[in-house]
Amino acid sequence: MKGLYFQQTSTNEETMFVFQERENLPVTEDYFVKLQVKACALSQINTKLLAEMKMEKDFFPVGREVAGVVLDVGSKVSFFQPDDEVVGILPLDSEDPGLCEVVRVHEHYLVHKPEKVTWTEAAGTIRDGVRAYTALHYLSHLSSGKSVLIMDGASAFGTIAIQLAHHRGARVISTACSLEDKQYLERFRPPIARVIDISAGKVHIAESCLEETGGLGVDIVLDAGVRLYNKDDEAPVKLQLLPHKHDIITLLGVGGHWVTTEENLQLDPPDSHCLFLKGATVAFLNDEVWNLSNIQQGKYLSTHFKRCDGEVISWCI
């Protein structure tokens, strides 16, 4: 039985994907489930995060979002039984690649697949679905009547977030990075309150959102990255389409929630003071935190972080 693995060279410049023969899986024990893979999604391998967590190795398994049929269960498994159709995300430290015929996974990383959802749909949407639900439910406490700005709504993450927000009864505003994206978003039913086309780089997002909300600002912002500096300092065209962090703070309403995917977000004292006056919060959406085993979560939270001045501090929880 073969599985696909990712191999990175010592120079970190070249990457290779190789098939490796795998031995038969051991007898399923305790809380583990043996799963026959029907579909697997390919997501980006975050080599930077792996290096930060000291999880680098010669060969890293490829494919983590899987859907399939349960073949066997351990003696302590309580949620599943053989022949169940399930979908889930393999933990970051999994030894088994999703691109394999059979994998062994802890039951806590799986859920039952809805009957009317296909294998490919289940595997292809599970990651962005979890990310969107985490951002709206856990990090921003979305409820009916709230206004939500979802950046880059035509992306996979944005599309699911818009649907979840509509399901909760929220008023949705979204941005489009191209004419095609704008037309796609305008076809949504129920309709999006306002689609802001930022492809030309001339539209001021803060002004548009304040106009749409009667000057009150939006309750929740889900960004797709932000600019930390002026346009002159960030040359790539992709960065030019991102809103500046000051724009996000300006359009945020009183008691608002800003959920960001920008891992290197820097807030100056005036930015923090403005957020303080609004009683607003900033939350970081790092979905990989929830995709670690308990052992790796402990290692992750006790990792040593370095300050800009080089002083090493230990953050232990």
Side-chain angles (χ1 to χ4, degrees), residues 151-184:
M151 307 296 297
D152 194 10
S155 65
F157 169 74
T159 297
I160 295 177
I162 290 172
Q163 294 179 70
L164 287 176
H166 276 157
H167 180 70
R168 291 290 183 89
R171 184 181 186 185
V172 178
I173 304 171
S174 186
T175 61
C177 299
S178 67
L179 177 60
E180 183 180 3
D181 289 351
K182 182 175 183 291
Q183 294 172 343
Y184 167 76

Short mmCIF file of all heavy atoms in Angstrom, two decimals, residues 151-184:
data_model
loop_
_atom_site.label_atom_id
_atom_site.label_comp_id
_atom_site.label_asym_id
_atom_site.label_seq_id
_atom_site.Cartn_x
_atom_site.Cartn_y
_atom_site.Cartn_z
N MET A 151 -14.09 39.70 3.77
CA MET A 151 -13.17 40.07 2.70
C MET A 151 -12.99 38.89 1.74
O MET A 151 -12.96 37.74 2.16
CB MET A 151 -11.82 40.48 3.28
CG MET A 151 -11.89 41.57 4.35
SD MET A 151 -12.52 43.13 3.72
CE MET A 151 -11.25 43.53 2.53
N ASP A 152 -12.86 39.21 0.45
CA ASP A 152 -12.64 38.22 -0.60
C ASP A 152 -13.71 37.12 -0.51
O ASP A 152 -13.42 35.93 -0.38
CB ASP A 152 -11.24 37.60 -0.48
CG ASP A 152 -10.84 36.82 -1.72
OD1 ASP A 152 -11.56 36.90 -2.74
OD2 ASP A 152 -9.82 36.10 -1.67
N GLY A 153 -14.96 37.54 -0.61
CA GLY A 153 -16.08 36.61 -0.44
C GLY A 153 -16.17 35.53 -1.49
O GLY A 153 -16.84 34.52 -1.28
N ALA A 154 -15.50 35.69 -2.63
CA ALA A 154 -15.57 34.68 -3.68
C ALA A 154 -14.60 33.53 -3.46
O ALA A 154 -14.63 32.54 -4.20
CB ALA A 154 -15.30 35.32 -5.05
N SER A 155 -13.73 33.63 -2.45
CA SER A 155 -12.83 32.53 -2.13
C SER A 155 -13.61 31.39 -1.48
O SER A 155 -14.78 31.56 -1.10
CB SER A 155 -11.72 33.00 -1.19
OG SER A 155 -12.29 33.39 0.06
N ALA A 156 -12.98 30.24 -1.35
CA ALA A 156 -13.65 29.09 -0.74
C ALA A 156 -14.07 29.41 0.70
O ALA A 156 -15.20 29.16 1.11
CB ALA A 156 -12.73 27.87 -0.77
N PHE A 157 -13.14 30.00 1.46
CA PHE A 157 -13.43 30.37 2.84
C PHE A 157 -14.52 31.43 2.90
O PHE A 157 -15.46 31.35 3.69
CB PHE A 157 -12.15 30.88 3.51
CG PHE A 157 -12.38 31.54 4.84
CD1 PHE A 157 -12.68 30.79 5.96
CD2 PHE A 157 -12.28 32.92 4.98
CE1 PHE A 157 -12.89 31.39 7.19
CE2 PHE A 157 -12.48 33.53 6.20
CZ PHE A 157 -12.79 32.76 7.31
N GLY A 158 -14.42 32.43 2.02
CA GLY A 158 -15.40 33.50 2.00
C GLY A 158 -16.79 33.03 1.64
O GLY A 158 -17.79 33.46 2.23
N THR A 159 -16.88 32.14 0.66
CA THR A 159 -18.18 31.62 0.23
C THR A 159 -18.89 30.89 1.36
O THR A 159 -20.09 31.08 1.59
CB THR A 159 -18.00 30.68 -0.97
OG1 THR A 159 -17.45 31.41 -2.07
CG2 THR A 159 -19.32 30.07 -1.39
N ILE A 160 -18.16 30.05 2.08
CA ILE A 160 -18.77 29.32 3.19
C ILE A 160 -19.14 30.27 4.33
O ILE A 160 -20.21 30.14 4.95
CB ILE A 160 -17.81 28.22 3.69
CG1 ILE A 160 -17.60 27.18 2.59
CG2 ILE A 160 -18.34 27.56 4.95
CD1 ILE A 160 -16.61 26.10 2.95
N ALA A 161 -18.27 31.25 4.60
CA ALA A 161 -18.55 32.21 5.67
C ALA A 161 -19.81 33.02 5.37
O ALA A 161 -20.62 33.29 6.27
CB ALA A 161 -17.35 33.14 5.85
N ILE A 162 -20.00 33.40 4.11
CA ILE A 162 -21.20 34.15 3.72
C ILE A 162 -22.45 33.31 3.97
O ILE A 162 -23.45 33.79 4.51
CB ILE A 162 -21.11 34.57 2.24
CG1 ILE A 162 -20.05 35.65 2.06
CG2 ILE A 162 -22.47 35.08 1.75
CD1 ILE A 162 -19.77 36.01 0.61
N GLN A 163 -22.40 32.04 3.59
CA GLN A 163 -23.57 31.18 3.78
C GLN A 163 -23.87 30.97 5.26
O GLN A 163 -25.04 30.98 5.67
CB GLN A 163 -23.31 29.83 3.09
CG GLN A 163 -23.21 29.95 1.56
CD GLN A 163 -22.95 28.61 0.91
OE1 GLN A 163 -23.80 27.73 0.88
NE2 GLN A 163 -21.74 28.45 0.38
N LEU A 164 -22.83 30.78 6.07
CA LEU A 164 -23.05 30.60 7.51
C LEU A 164 -23.61 31.88 8.13
O LEU A 164 -24.50 31.82 9.00
CB LEU A 164 -21.73 30.23 8.19
CG LEU A 164 -21.22 28.81 7.95
CD1 LEU A 164 -19.86 28.62 8.61
CD2 LEU A 164 -22.20 27.77 8.49
N ALA A 165 -23.11 33.03 7.70
CA ALA A 165 -23.60 34.30 8.23
C ALA A 165 -25.06 34.53 7.86
O ALA A 165 -25.87 34.97 8.69
CB ALA A 165 -22.73 35.45 7.72
N HIS A 166 -25.41 34.21 6.62
CA HIS A 166 -26.82 34.33 6.21
C HIS A 166 -27.70 33.38 7.01
O HIS A 166 -28.83 33.72 7.39
CB HIS A 166 -26.94 34.03 4.72
CG HIS A 166 -26.65 35.21 3.84
ND1 HIS A 166 -26.25 35.09 2.53
CD2 HIS A 166 -26.71 36.55 4.10
CE1 HIS A 166 -26.07 36.30 2.01
NE2 HIS A 166 -26.34 37.19 2.94
N HIS A 167 -27.19 32.18 7.26
CA HIS A 167 -27.96 31.19 8.02
C HIS A 167 -28.26 31.69 9.44
O HIS A 167 -29.31 31.38 10.00
CB HIS A 167 -27.18 29.87 8.09
CG HIS A 167 -27.87 28.79 8.85
ND1 HIS A 167 -29.01 28.16 8.40
CD2 HIS A 167 -27.60 28.23 10.06
CE1 HIS A 167 -29.40 27.26 9.28
NE2 HIS A 167 -28.56 27.28 10.30
N ARG A 168 -27.34 32.48 9.99
CA ARG A 168 -27.54 33.03 11.34
C ARG A 168 -28.36 34.32 11.32
O ARG A 168 -28.60 34.92 12.37
CB ARG A 168 -26.18 33.30 11.99
CG ARG A 168 -25.39 32.04 12.34
CD ARG A 168 -26.03 31.31 13.50
NE ARG A 168 -25.25 30.15 13.91
CZ ARG A 168 -24.28 30.16 14.80
NH1 ARG A 168 -23.94 31.30 15.38
NH2 ARG A 168 -23.63 29.07 15.11
N GLY A 169 -28.75 34.78 10.14
CA GLY A 169 -29.56 35.99 10.07
C GLY A 169 -28.76 37.28 10.08
O GLY A 169 -29.30 38.34 10.44
N ALA A 170 -27.50 37.22 9.68
CA ALA A 170 -26.65 38.40 9.68
C ALA A 170 -26.78 39.17 8.37
O ALA A 170 -27.23 38.63 7.35
CB ALA A 170 -25.20 38.01 9.91
N ARG A 171 -26.40 40.43 8.41
CA ARG A 171 -26.35 41.27 7.21
C ARG A 171 -24.92 41.25 6.69
O ARG A 171 -24.00 41.66 7.41
CB ARG A 171 -26.78 42.68 7.55
CG ARG A 171 -26.86 43.62 6.35
CD ARG A 171 -27.27 45.00 6.81
NE ARG A 171 -27.50 45.90 5.71
CZ ARG A 171 -27.76 47.20 5.85
NH1 ARG A 171 -27.83 47.70 7.07
NH2 ARG A 171 -27.97 47.96 4.80
N VAL A 172 -24.73 40.81 5.47
CA VAL A 172 -23.38 40.54 4.95
C VAL A 172 -22.96 41.60 3.94
O VAL A 172 -23.70 41.95 3.03
CB VAL A 172 -23.31 39.15 4.30
CG1 VAL A 172 -21.92 38.90 3.71
CG2 VAL A 172 -23.65 38.07 5.32
N ILE A 173 -21.73 42.08 4.13
CA ILE A 173 -21.04 42.93 3.16
C ILE A 173 -19.79 42.17 2.74
O ILE A 173 -19.14 41.53 3.57
CB ILE A 173 -20.65 44.29 3.77
CG1 ILE A 173 -21.88 44.99 4.34
CG2 ILE A 173 -19.94 45.17 2.75
CD1 ILE A 173 -21.54 46.23 5.15
N SER A 174 -19.45 42.22 1.47
CA SER A 174 -18.28 41.47 1.01
C SER A 174 -17.50 42.26 -0.03
O SER A 174 -18.03 43.19 -0.66
CB SER A 174 -18.70 40.11 0.43
OG SER A 174 -17.56 39.34 0.10
N THR A 175 -16.24 41.90 -0.21
CA THR A 175 -15.41 42.54 -1.22
C THR A 175 -15.12 41.56 -2.35
O THR A 175 -15.07 40.35 -2.15
CB THR A 175 -14.07 43.01 -0.62
OG1 THR A 175 -13.34 41.88 -0.12
CG2 THR A 175 -14.30 44.01 0.50
N ALA A 176 -14.93 42.12 -3.55
CA ALA A 176 -14.61 41.33 -4.74
C ALA A 176 -13.31 41.84 -5.32
O ALA A 176 -13.11 43.06 -5.45
CB ALA A 176 -15.73 41.43 -5.76
N CYS A 177 -12.42 40.92 -5.69
CA CYS A 177 -11.10 41.30 -6.20
C CYS A 177 -11.05 41.33 -7.73
O CYS A 177 -10.00 41.61 -8.31
CB CYS A 177 -10.04 40.33 -5.67
SG CYS A 177 -9.91 40.33 -3.88
N SER A 178 -12.15 41.02 -8.39
CA SER A 178 -12.21 41.05 -9.85
C SER A 178 -13.67 41.17 -10.28
O SER A 178 -14.59 40.98 -9.48
CB SER A 178 -11.59 39.79 -10.46
OG SER A 178 -12.37 38.64 -10.15
N LEU A 179 -13.87 41.49 -11.56
CA LEU A 179 -15.22 41.60 -12.08
C LEU A 179 -15.94 40.26 -12.01
O LEU A 179 -17.14 40.19 -11.70
CB LEU A 179 -15.19 42.10 -13.53
CG LEU A 179 -16.54 42.20 -14.24
CD1 LEU A 179 -17.47 43.17 -13.51
CD2 LEU A 179 -16.34 42.63 -15.69
N GLU A 180 -15.21 39.18 -12.28
CA GLU A 180 -15.80 37.84 -12.21
C GLU A 180 -16.26 37.52 -10.78
O GLU A 180 -17.34 36.97 -10.59
CB GLU A 180 -14.78 36.80 -12.68
CG GLU A 180 -15.31 35.38 -12.70
CD GLU A 180 -14.27 34.39 -13.18
OE1 GLU A 180 -13.12 34.81 -13.44
OE2 GLU A 180 -14.60 33.20 -13.29
N ASP A 181 -15.43 37.88 -9.80
CA ASP A 181 -15.81 37.65 -8.40
C ASP A 181 -17.04 38.48 -8.04
O ASP A 181 -17.93 38.00 -7.31
CB ASP A 181 -14.65 38.03 -7.47
CG ASP A 181 -13.50 37.05 -7.55
OD1 ASP A 181 -13.67 35.99 -8.19
OD2 ASP A 181 -12.42 37.35 -6.97
N LYS A 182 -17.11 39.70 -8.52
CA LYS A 182 -18.25 40.58 -8.23
C LYS A 182 -19.55 39.98 -8.79
O LYS A 182 -20.58 39.95 -8.10
CB LYS A 182 -18.00 41.96 -8.84
CG LYS A 182 -19.10 42.98 -8.57
CD LYS A 182 -18.69 44.35 -9.10
CE LYS A 182 -19.75 45.41 -8.79
NZ LYS A 182 -20.99 45.20 -9.56
N GLN A 183 -19.49 39.48 -10.02
CA GLN A 183 -20.67 38.88 -10.62
C GLN A 183 -21.08 37.62 -9.87
O GLN A 183 -22.28 37.34 -9.70
CB GLN A 183 -20.39 38.56 -12.09
CG GLN A 183 -20.18 39.80 -12.95
CD GLN A 183 -19.72 39.48 -14.35
OE1 GLN A 183 -19.25 38.36 -14.63
NE2 GLN A 183 -19.84 40.43 -15.26
N TYR A 184 -20.10 36.86 -9.41
CA TYR A 184 -20.39 35.64 -8.64
C TYR A 184 -21.10 35.98 -7.33
O TYR A 184 -22.10 35.35 -6.96
CB TYR A 184 -19.08 34.90 -8.37
CG TYR A 184 -19.16 33.80 -7.34
CD1 TYR A 184 -19.74 32.58 -7.65
CD2 TYR A 184 -18.65 33.98 -6.05
CE1 TYR A 184 -19.82 31.56 -6.70
CE2 TYR A 184 -18.72 32.98 -5.11
CZ TYR A 184 -19.30 31.77 -5.43
OH TYR A 184 -19.38 30.77 -4.50
#
